Coordinates of all heavy atoms in Angstrom, one line a residue:
Chain A
T31 N 2.2 11.4 13.9 CA 1.9 10.0 14.4 C 2.8 9.8 15.6 O 3.8 10.5 15.9 CB 2.3 9.0 13.3 OG1 2.3 7.7 13.9 CG2 3.6 9.3 12.7
V33 N 4.3 7.0 16.1 CA 5.2 6.0 15.8 C 6.5 6.6 15.2 O 6.4 7.1 14.0 CB 4.6 4.9 14.8 CG1 5.6 3.8 14.5 CG2 3.3 4.4 15.4
S34 N 7.6 6.7 15.9 CA 8.7 7.5 15.6 C 9.4 7.2 14.3 O 10.0 8.1 13.6 CB 9.7 7.5 16.7 OG 10.2 6.2 16.9
L35 N 9.3 5.9 13.8 CA 10.0 5.6 12.6 C 9.4 6.2 11.4 O 10.1 6.5 10.4 CB 10.0 4.0 12.4 CG 10.9 3.4 11.3 CD1 12.4 3.7 11.6 CD2 10.6 1.9 11.2
I36 N 8.1 6.5 11.5 CA 7.4 7.0 10.3 C 7.9 8.4 9.8 O 8.3 8.5 8.6 CB 5.8 7.1 10.5 CG1 5.3 5.6 10.8 CG2 5.1 7.7 9.4 CD1 3.9 5.6 11.1
H87 N 7.9 2.0 -2.5 CA 7.6 0.6 -2.9 C 8.5 0.2 -4.1 O 8.9 -0.9 -4.3 CB 6.1 0.4 -3.1 CG 5.4 0.3 -1.8 ND1 4.1 0.0 -1.7 CD2 5.8 0.4 -0.5 CE1 3.7 -0.1 -0.5 NE2 4.7 0.2 0.3
V91 N 11.1 -2.9 -4.9 CA 10.9 -3.7 -6.1 C 12.2 -3.7 -6.9 O 12.7 -4.7 -7.4 CB 9.7 -3.3 -7.0 CG1 9.7 -4.0 -8.3 CG2 8.4 -3.5 -6.2
E110 N 11.4 -3.9 4.8 CA 10.2 -3.9 5.6 C 9.7 -2.6 5.9 O 8.5 -2.3 5.7 CB 10.5 -4.6 7.0 CG 11.1 -6.0 6.9 CD 12.6 -6.1 6.7 OE1 13.2 -5.0 6.4 OE2 13.2 -7.2 6.9
A111 N 10.6 -1.7 6.4 CA 10.2 -0.3 6.7 C 9.7 0.4 5.5 O 8.7 1.2 5.6 CB 11.3 0.4 7.4
V113 N 8.3 -0.8 2.8 CA 6.9 -1.3 2.5 C 5.9 -0.7 3.4 O 4.9 -0.2 3.0 CB 6.9 -2.9 2.6 CG1 5.4 -3.4 2.5 CG2 7.7 -3.5 1.5
L114 N 6.1 -0.8 4.7 CA 5.1 -0.4 5.7 C 4.9 1.2 5.8 O 3.8 1.6 5.9 CB 5.4 -0.9 7.1 CG 5.5 -2.5 7.2 CD1 5.8 -2.9 8.6 CD2 4.1 -3.1 6.7
D117 N 2.9 2.1 2.9 CA 1.4 1.8 3.3 C 0.9 2.9 4.1 O -0.3 3.3 4.0 CB 1.3 0.5 4.0 CG 1.6 -0.7 3.1 OD1 1.7 -0.5 1.9 OD2 1.7 -1.9 3.6
F118 N 1.7 3.4 5.1 CA 1.2 4.5 5.9 C 0.9 5.7 5.1 O -0.1 6.4 5.3 CB 2.2 4.8 7.0 CG 1.9 6.0 7.9 CD1 0.9 5.9 8.9 CD2 2.4 7.2 7.6 CE1 0.6 7.0 9.6 CE2 2.1 8.3 8.4 CZ 1.1 8.2 9.4
F120 N 0.1 5.8 1.9 CA -1.1 5.6 1.1 C -2.4 5.8 2.0 O -3.3 6.5 1.6 CB -1.2 4.1 0.6 CG -0.5 3.9 -0.7 CD1 0.4 2.9 -0.9 CD2 -0.8 4.7 -1.8 CE1 1.1 2.7 -2.1 CE2 -0.2 4.5 -3.0 CZ 0.8 3.5 -3.2
S121 N -2.4 5.2 3.2 CA -3.6 5.4 4.0 C -3.7 6.8 4.5 O -4.9 7.2 4.7 CB -3.6 4.3 5.1 OG -2.4 4.4 5.9
T122 N -2.6 7.5 4.8 CA -2.7 8.9 5.2 C -3.3 9.7 4.1 O -4.2 10.6 4.3 CB -1.3 9.4 5.6 OG1 -0.9 8.7 6.7 CG2 -1.4 10.9 6.0
F124 N -5.4 8.7 1.7 CA -6.8 8.3 1.7 C -7.5 9.1 2.8 O -8.6 9.7 2.5 CB -6.8 6.8 1.8 CG -8.2 6.2 1.9 CD1 -9.3 6.8 1.3 CD2 -8.4 5.0 2.5 CE1 -10.6 6.2 1.3 CE2 -9.7 4.4 2.5 CZ -10.7 5.0 2.0
D125 N -7.0 9.1 4.0 CA -7.7 9.7 5.1 C -7.8 11.2 4.9 O -8.8 11.8 5.1 CB -6.8 9.4 6.4 CG -7.5 9.7 7.7 OD1 -8.7 9.4 7.8 OD2 -6.9 10.3 8.6
V128 N -10.4 11.9 2.2 CA -11.7 11.8 2.7 C -12.2 13.0 3.5 O -13.3 13.4 3.4 CB -11.9 10.5 3.6 CG1 -13.2 10.4 4.3 CG2 -11.7 9.2 2.7
D129 N -11.2 13.5 4.3 CA -11.5 14.7 5.1 C -12.0 15.9 4.2 O -12.6 16.8 4.7 CB -10.3 15.1 5.9 CG -10.1 14.2 7.1 OD1 -11.1 13.5 7.5 OD2 -9.0 14.2 7.7
G131 N -14.1 15.7 1.9 CA -15.5 15.5 1.8 C -16.1 15.7 0.4 O -17.3 15.9 0.2
L133 N -16.8 13.7 -3.0 CA -16.8 12.3 -3.6 C -16.3 12.3 -5.0 O -15.7 11.3 -5.4 CB -18.2 11.7 -3.5 CG -18.7 11.1 -2.2 CD1 -20.2 10.9 -2.2 CD2 -17.9 9.9 -1.9
L136 N -12.6 12.1 -4.6 CA -12.3 10.8 -4.1 C -12.3 9.7 -5.2 O -11.4 8.9 -5.3 CB -13.2 10.4 -2.9 CG -12.9 11.1 -1.6 CD1 -14.0 10.8 -0.6 CD2 -11.6 10.7 -1.0
K137 N -13.3 9.8 -6.0 CA -13.4 8.8 -7.1 C -12.3 9.0 -8.1 O -11.7 8.0 -8.5 CB -14.8 9.0 -7.9 CG -15.0 8.0 -8.9 CD -15.1 6.5 -8.4 CE -14.9 5.5 -9.5 NZ -14.8 4.1 -9.0
A140 N -9.2 7.5 -6.3 CA -9.3 6.0 -6.2 C -9.0 5.3 -7.5 O -8.2 4.4 -7.6 CB -10.6 5.6 -5.6
S141 N -9.7 5.8 -8.6 CA -9.4 5.2 -9.9 C -8.0 5.3 -10.3 O -7.4 4.4 -10.8 CB -10.2 5.8 -11.0 OG -11.6 5.9 -10.6
T143 N -5.2 5.6 -8.3 CA -4.3 4.8 -7.6 C -4.4 3.3 -8.0 O -3.4 2.6 -8.0 CB -4.5 4.9 -6.0 OG1 -5.9 4.8 -5.7 CG2 -4.1 6.3 -5.5
K144 N -5.6 2.9 -8.4 CA -5.8 1.6 -8.9 C -5.0 1.4 -10.2 O -4.3 0.4 -10.3 CB -7.3 1.3 -9.1 CG -7.7 -0.1 -9.2 CD -9.2 -0.3 -9.2 CE -9.5 -1.6 -9.8 NZ -11.0 -1.9 -9.8
A147 N -1.3 1.2 -9.5 CA -0.9 -0.2 -9.1 C -0.8 -1.1 -10.3 O 0.1 -1.9 -10.4 CB -1.8 -0.7 -8.0
E148 N -1.8 -1.0 -11.2 CA -1.8 -1.9 -12.3 C -0.6 -1.6 -13.2 O 0.0 -2.6 -13.7 CB -3.1 -1.7 -13.1 CG -4.3 -2.3 -12.5 CD -5.6 -2.0 -13.2 OE1 -5.7 -1.0 -13.9 OE2 -6.6 -2.8 -13.1
E150 N 2.3 -0.5 -12.3 CA 3.5 -1.0 -11.7 C 3.6 -2.5 -11.8 O 4.7 -3.1 -12.0 CB 3.5 -0.7 -10.1 CG 3.4 0.8 -9.8 CD 4.8 1.4 -9.7 OE1 5.8 0.7 -9.8 OE2 4.9 2.7 -9.6
I151 N 2.5 -3.2 -11.7 CA 2.5 -4.7 -11.9 C 2.8 -5.1 -13.3 O 3.6 -6.0 -13.6 CB 1.2 -5.3 -11.4 CG1 1.1 -5.0 -9.9 CG2 1.2 -6.8 -11.7 CD1 -0.3 -5.3 -9.3
L154 N 6.4 -4.8 -13.9 CA 7.1 -6.0 -13.3 C 7.0 -7.2 -14.2 O 8.0 -7.9 -14.4 CB 6.5 -6.3 -11.9 CG 7.1 -7.5 -11.1 CD1 8.5 -7.2 -10.8 CD2 6.3 -7.7 -9.9
M155 N 5.8 -7.4 -14.7 CA 5.6 -8.6 -15.6 C 6.4 -8.5 -16.9 O 6.8 -9.6 -17.4 CB 4.1 -8.7 -15.9 CG 3.2 -9.2 -14.8 SD 1.5 -9.0 -15.2 CE 1.4 -10.1 -16.6
Chain B
T31 N -9.2 -7.0 -13.9 CA -8.2 -6.2 -14.4 C -7.6 -6.8 -15.7 O -7.8 -8.0 -15.9 CB -7.0 -6.0 -13.3 OG1 -5.9 -5.5 -14.0 CG2 -6.7 -7.4 -12.7
V33 N -4.4 -6.9 -16.1 CA -3.1 -7.3 -15.8 C -3.1 -8.7 -15.2 O -3.5 -8.9 -14.1 CB -2.4 -6.3 -14.9 CG1 -1.0 -6.7 -14.6 CG2 -2.5 -4.9 -15.5
S34 N -2.6 -9.7 -16.0 CA -2.9 -11.1 -15.6 C -2.3 -11.6 -14.3 O -2.8 -12.5 -13.7 CB -2.5 -12.0 -16.7 OG -1.1 -11.9 -16.9
L35 N -1.2 -11.0 -13.9 CA -0.6 -11.5 -12.6 C -1.4 -11.2 -11.4 O -1.3 -11.9 -10.4 CB 0.8 -10.8 -12.5 CG 1.7 -11.3 -11.4 CD1 2.2 -12.7 -11.7 CD2 3.0 -10.4 -11.2
I36 N -2.3 -10.2 -11.5 CA -3.0 -9.7 -10.3 C -4.0 -10.8 -9.8 O -4.0 -11.2 -8.7 CB -3.8 -8.4 -10.6 CG1 -2.7 -7.3 -10.8 CG2 -4.7 -8.0 -9.4 CD1 -3.3 -5.9 -11.1
H87 N 1.8 -8.0 2.4 CA 2.9 -7.1 2.9 C 3.6 -7.7 4.1 O 4.8 -7.6 4.2 CB 2.4 -5.7 3.1 CG 2.1 -5.0 1.8 ND1 1.8 -3.6 1.7 CD2 2.2 -5.4 0.5 CE1 1.7 -3.3 0.4 NE2 1.9 -4.3 -0.3
V91 N 7.5 -8.6 4.9 CA 8.2 -8.1 6.0 C 8.8 -9.3 6.8 O 9.9 -9.3 7.3 CB 7.3 -7.3 6.9 CG1 7.9 -7.0 8.2 CG2 6.9 -6.0 6.2
E110 N 8.5 -8.5 -4.9 CA 8.1 -7.4 -5.7 C 6.6 -7.6 -6.0 O 5.8 -6.6 -5.8 CB 8.8 -7.4 -7.0 CG 10.3 -7.3 -6.9 CD 11.0 -8.6 -6.8 OE1 10.4 -9.6 -6.4 OE2 12.2 -8.6 -7.0
A111 N 6.2 -8.8 -6.4 CA 4.8 -9.0 -6.8 C 3.9 -8.9 -5.6 O 2.8 -8.3 -5.6 CB 4.6 -10.3 -7.5
V113 N 4.4 -7.0 -2.9 CA 4.2 -5.6 -2.5 C 3.2 -5.0 -3.5 O 2.3 -4.3 -3.0 CB 5.6 -4.9 -2.6 CG1 5.4 -3.4 -2.5 CG2 6.6 -5.4 -1.6
L114 N 3.4 -5.2 -4.8 CA 2.6 -4.4 -5.7 C 1.1 -4.9 -5.8 O 0.2 -4.2 -5.9 CB 3.2 -4.5 -7.1 CG 4.6 -3.8 -7.2 CD1 5.2 -3.9 -8.6 CD2 4.6 -2.3 -6.8
V115 N 1.0 -6.3 -5.7 CA -0.4 -6.8 -5.7 C -1.1 -6.3 -4.4 O -2.3 -6.0 -4.3 CB -0.5 -8.3 -5.9 CG1 -1.9 -8.8 -5.7 CG2 0.0 -8.6 -7.3
D117 N -0.6 -3.5 -3.0 CA -1.0 -2.1 -3.3 C -2.2 -2.1 -4.1 O -3.1 -1.2 -4.0 CB 0.2 -1.4 -4.0 CG 1.3 -1.1 -3.1 OD1 1.2 -1.2 -1.9 OD2 2.4 -0.7 -3.7
F118 N -2.3 -3.0 -5.1 CA -3.5 -3.1 -5.9 C -4.7 -3.4 -5.1 O -5.8 -2.8 -5.3 CB -3.3 -4.2 -7.0 CG -4.6 -4.4 -7.9 CD1 -4.9 -3.5 -8.9 CD2 -5.4 -5.4 -7.6 CE1 -6.0 -3.6 -9.6 CE2 -6.6 -5.6 -8.4 CZ -6.9 -4.7 -9.4
F120 N -5.2 -2.7 -1.9 CA -5.5 -1.5 -1.1 C -6.3 -0.5 -2.0 O -7.3 0.1 -1.6 CB -4.2 -0.8 -0.6 CG -3.7 -1.3 0.7 CD1 -2.4 -1.7 0.8 CD2 -4.5 -1.4 1.8 CE1 -1.9 -2.2 2.1 CE2 -4.1 -1.9 3.0 CZ -2.7 -2.3 3.1
S121 N -5.8 -0.2 -3.2 CA -6.4 0.8 -4.0 C -7.7 0.3 -4.5 O -8.7 1.1 -4.6 CB -5.5 1.3 -5.1 OG -5.0 0.2 -5.9
T122 N -7.9 -1.0 -4.8 CA -9.2 -1.5 -5.2 C -10.2 -1.4 -4.1 O -11.4 -1.0 -4.3 CB -9.0 -3.0 -5.6 OG1 -8.2 -3.1 -6.7 CG2 -10.4 -3.6 -6.0
F124 N -10.2 0.9 -1.7 CA -10.5 2.3 -1.6 C -11.5 2.7 -2.7 O -12.6 3.3 -2.5 CB -9.2 3.1 -1.8 CG -9.2 4.6 -1.8 CD1 -10.3 5.3 -1.2 CD2 -8.2 5.3 -2.5 CE1 -10.3 6.7 -1.3 CE2 -8.2 6.7 -2.5 CZ -9.3 7.4 -1.9
D125 N -11.3 2.2 -3.9 CA -12.1 2.5 -5.1 C -13.5 2.0 -4.9 O -14.5 2.7 -5.1 CB -11.5 1.9 -6.3 CG -12.1 2.4 -7.6 OD1 -12.3 3.6 -7.7 OD2 -12.4 1.6 -8.5
V128 N -15.3 4.0 -2.2 CA -15.8 5.3 -2.7 C -17.1 5.1 -3.5 O -18.0 5.9 -3.4 CB -14.7 5.9 -3.5 CG1 -15.2 7.1 -4.3 CG2 -13.5 6.4 -2.7
D129 N -17.1 4.0 -4.3 CA -18.3 3.7 -5.1 C -19.6 3.6 -4.2 O -20.7 3.8 -4.7 CB -18.2 2.5 -5.9 CG -17.3 2.7 -7.1 OD1 -17.1 3.9 -7.4 OD2 -16.8 1.8 -7.7
G131 N -20.3 5.6 -1.9 CA -20.8 6.9 -1.7 C -21.2 7.4 -0.3 O -22.0 8.3 -0.2
L133 N -19.7 8.9 3.0 CA -18.5 9.6 3.6 C -18.2 9.1 5.0 O -17.1 9.0 5.4 CB -18.7 11.1 3.6 CG -18.3 11.7 2.2 CD1 -18.8 13.2 2.2 CD2 -16.8 11.6 1.9
L136 N -16.5 5.9 4.6 CA -15.1 6.2 4.1 C -14.2 6.7 5.2 O -13.0 6.3 5.3 CB -15.2 7.2 3.0 CG -15.7 6.6 1.6 CD1 -15.9 7.7 0.6 CD2 -14.7 5.6 1.1
K137 N -14.7 7.5 6.1 CA -13.9 8.1 7.1 C -13.5 7.0 8.1 O -12.3 6.9 8.5 CB -14.6 9.2 7.9 CG -13.8 9.9 9.0 CD -12.5 10.5 8.4 CE -11.5 10.9 9.5 NZ -10.2 11.4 9.0
A140 N -10.8 4.9 6.4 CA -9.5 5.6 6.2 C -8.8 5.7 7.5 O -7.6 5.4 7.6 CB -9.8 7.0 5.6
S141 N -9.5 6.0 8.6 CA -8.8 6.1 9.9 C -8.3 4.7 10.3 O -7.2 4.6 10.8 CB -9.8 6.5 11.0 OG -10.5 7.7 10.6
T143 N -7.4 2.2 8.3 CA -6.2 1.7 7.6 C -5.0 2.4 8.0 O -3.9 1.9 8.0 CB -6.4 1.8 6.0 OG1 -6.9 3.1 5.7 CG2 -7.4 0.8 5.5
K144 N -5.1 3.7 8.4 CA -4.0 4.5 8.9 C -3.5 3.9 10.2 O -2.3 3.7 10.3 CB -4.4 5.9 9.1 CG -3.3 6.9 9.2 CD -3.8 8.3 9.2 CE -2.8 9.2 9.8 NZ -3.3 10.6 9.8
A147 N -1.6 0.6 9.5 CA -0.2 0.8 9.1 C 0.7 1.2 10.3 O 1.8 0.7 10.4 CB -0.2 1.9 8.0
E148 N 0.2 2.1 11.1 CA 0.9 2.5 12.3 C 1.2 1.2 13.2 O 2.4 1.1 13.7 CB 0.2 3.5 13.1 CG 0.2 4.9 12.5 CD -0.7 5.9 13.2 OE1 -1.7 5.5 13.9 OE2 -0.4 7.1 13.1
E150 N 1.5 -1.9 12.3 CA 2.5 -2.7 11.6 C 3.9 -2.2 11.8 O 4.9 -2.9 12.0 CB 2.2 -2.8 10.1 CG 0.9 -3.4 9.8 CD 0.9 -5.0 9.7 OE1 2.0 -5.5 9.8 OE2 -0.2 -5.6 9.5
I151 N 4.0 -0.8 11.7 CA 5.3 -0.2 11.8 C 5.8 -0.3 13.3 O 7.0 -0.6 13.5 CB 5.3 1.3 11.3 CG1 5.0 1.3 9.8 CG2 6.6 2.0 11.6 CD1 4.6 2.6 9.3
L154 N 7.2 -3.6 13.8 CA 8.6 -3.7 13.2 C 9.6 -3.1 14.1 O 10.7 -3.6 14.3 CB 8.5 -3.1 11.8 CG 9.9 -3.0 11.1 CD1 10.3 -4.5 10.7 CD2 9.8 -2.2 9.8
M155 N 9.3 -1.9 14.7 CA 10.2 -1.2 15.5 C 10.5 -2.0 16.8 O 11.6 -1.8 17.3 CB 9.7 0.2 15.9 CG 9.7 1.2 14.7 SD 8.8 2.7 15.2 CE 9.7 3.3 16.6

Side-chain angles (χ1 to χ4, degrees):
Chain A
T31 165
V33 183
S34 60
L35 190 63
I36 296 176
H87 285 186
V91 170
E110 300 87 344
V113 171
L114 298 179
D117 289 350
F118 176 79
F120 273 129
S121 54
T122 298
F124 177 25
D125 194 44
V128 168
D129 284 343
L133 279 167
L136 285 172
K137 184 60 197 173
S141 310
T143 49
K144 196 171 158 179
E148 288 176 330
E150 298 275 354
I151 294 168
L154 178 66
M155 287 171 62
Chain B
T31 165
V33 183
S34 61
L35 190 64
I36 296 176
H87 285 186
V91 170
E110 299 88 343
V113 170
L114 298 179
V115 173
D117 289 349
F118 176 79
F120 273 129
S121 55
T122 298
F124 177 28
D125 194 45
V128 168
D129 285 343
L133 279 167
L136 285 172
K137 183 60 196 175
S141 310
T143 49
K144 197 172 158 178
E148 287 175 331
E150 299 274 355
I151 295 167
L154 178 65
M155 287 170 61

